[in-house]
Amino acid sequence: GDSVTQMEGPVTLSEEAFLTINCTYTATGYPSLFWYVQYPGEGLQLLLKATKADDKGSNKGFEATYRKETTSFHLEKGSVQVSDSAVYFCALVQGNRDDKIIFGKGTRLHILP
Amino acid sequence: GAVVSQHPSWVICKSGTSVKIECRSLDFQATTMFWYRQFPKQSLMLMATSNEGSKATYEQGVEKDKFLINHASLTLSTLTVTSAHPEDSSFYICSAREPGTTSDIQYFGAGTRLSVL
C-alpha cells in the first residue's frame, strides 16, 4: 500500500542553520504531496503542498519539490529560526481516493538560539 | 483561519471504563470529520471518517463497537473508547473539513492523550 517515510528525529540545529528533512514515498499513480507542521500545543497545519511532478511548494521560507524520479519531497529552509521548532509531517493523498491522508511518522525539530 | 477544538487534551482512566473525546469546529460547519490515532514514534493512522447525520466509515482493522463515533451536528463529533484497556493508550487526533474543499484542507485539533491504567 501507499506509504511515506521521513527521517527520524529529533533534529537539533542552531539558529540560521540550513534545514533539510528527507521524505520519500511509495504510491501508485500520481499522489499529491504535503508537509504539515505541528507547533507545541496546537493542531497540525498545512505548511505547503505540491500536486504534480516538478512542482515546488513553498511557505514561510520552507520549500519542497515533488521529485517523481526519486519519489521524494524533501523539506528545506535556508535559515531556520527558534520559532520553527515543531514536529513536521510529510504526507500524501491519492487523487482517486477521497480524503485519506497518508502520514509519515513525523520529525521533531529543535532550533537552539 | 478555521479552528478545531479537541477536548480533553489529556485523560487518564482505569481499565474497563469508557472515555469520550469531543471534537468541535469553532467557526465553520464541518460536514466531514476524521479521527486519527498515533502511537509513539508512529504515523498518524486514520481510524474513521464521519459524515454529519450518517454512520461513520471505519478503516480496516478498527473495531467500530469499541470506538464509537457520533457526528450529530455540523460542529461536533465525538469518539468514545468503550471498555478501554492499556493497549488503547495512544494519542487521538481529530480533524474537520469544510464542505466543497479538497481533502488536503483539513483543520486539526491539538489531540487527546489517553492513558489507560
Side-chain angles (χ1 to χ4, degrees):
Chain A
D2 299 343
S3 66
V4 174
T5 302
Q6 61 183 104
M7 62 190 293
E8 288 196 29
V11 174
T12 302
L13 296 172
S14 297
E15 203 166 22
E16 298 183 0
F18 184 87
L19 168 71
T20 300
I21 301 178
N22 290 337
C23 171
T24 57
Y25 68 90
T26 301
T28 56
Y30 303 93
S32 295
L33 303 175
F34 307 88
W35 278 100
Y36 287 85
V37 59
Q38 184 176 28
Y39 298 105
E42 300 182 14
L44 276 76
Q45 304 170 27
L46 180 63
L47 179 61
L48 54 83
K49 68 177 183 181
T51 57
K52 61 183 187 296
D54 299 326
D55 267 4
K56 178 186 284 187
S58 62
N59 186 24
K60 298 182 180 181
F62 291 89
E63 293 183 340
T65 301
Y66 190 143
R67 301 285 188 200
K68 187 167 175 58
E69 63 276 15
T70 54
T71 62
S72 65
F73 194 54
H74 304 321
L75 182 68
E76 296 182 337
K77 186 172 185 181
S79 177
V80 292
Q81 301 171 2
V82 173
S83 57
D84 294 325
S85 298
V87 181
Y88 292 82
F89 293 88
C90 187
L92 69 83
V93 171
Q94 279 287 14
N96 61 350
R97 198 178 305 169
D98 194 34
D99 294 338
K100 188 169 182 176
I101 303 176
I102 308 296
F103 287 94
K105 294 181 180 180
T107 302
R108 185 174 297 278
L109 175 65
H110 293 293
I111 305 300
L112 303 176
Chain B
V3 177
V4 171
S5 174
Q6 192 172 337
H7 178 81
S9 58
W10 190 21
V11 57
I12 302 173
C13 70
K14 292 183 179 179
S15 185
T17 61
S18 296
V19 174
K20 179 183 285 188
I21 302 170
E22 293 187 347
C23 180
R24 293 180 184 273
S25 57
L26 297 186
D27 50 2
F28 67 100
Q29 294 184 330
T31 51
T32 305
M33 288 186 170
F34 306 88
W35 287 96
Y36 296 85
R37 181 168 56 184
Q38 184 181 26
F39 291 108
K41 298 186 179 181
Q42 300 296 317
S43 303
L44 278 77
M45 299 298 295
L46 180 65
M47 299 175 65
T49 302
S50 74
N51 292 294
E52 185 267 338
S54 62
K55 290 184 178 180
T57 302
Y58 290 81
E59 295 297 305
Q60 191 173 9
V62 178
E63 300 175 59
K64 61 181 182 181
D65 294 330
K66 182 168 187 61
F67 298 100
L68 300 179
I69 292 172
N70 183 281
H71 191 166
S73 79
L74 286 171
T75 59
L76 174 65
S77 176
T78 60
L79 168 67
T80 300
V81 183
T82 62
S83 186
H85 291 284
E87 58 266 28
D88 298 323
S89 298
S90 187
F91 196 58
Y92 294 86
I93 300 171
C94 73
S95 70
R97 186 166 70 94
E98 291 183 272
T101 58
T102 54
S103 52
D104 56 298
I105 308 299
Q106 295 183 24
Y107 301 100
F108 288 82
T112 297
R113 185 165 303 282
L114 171 63
S115 298
V116 184
L117 305 178

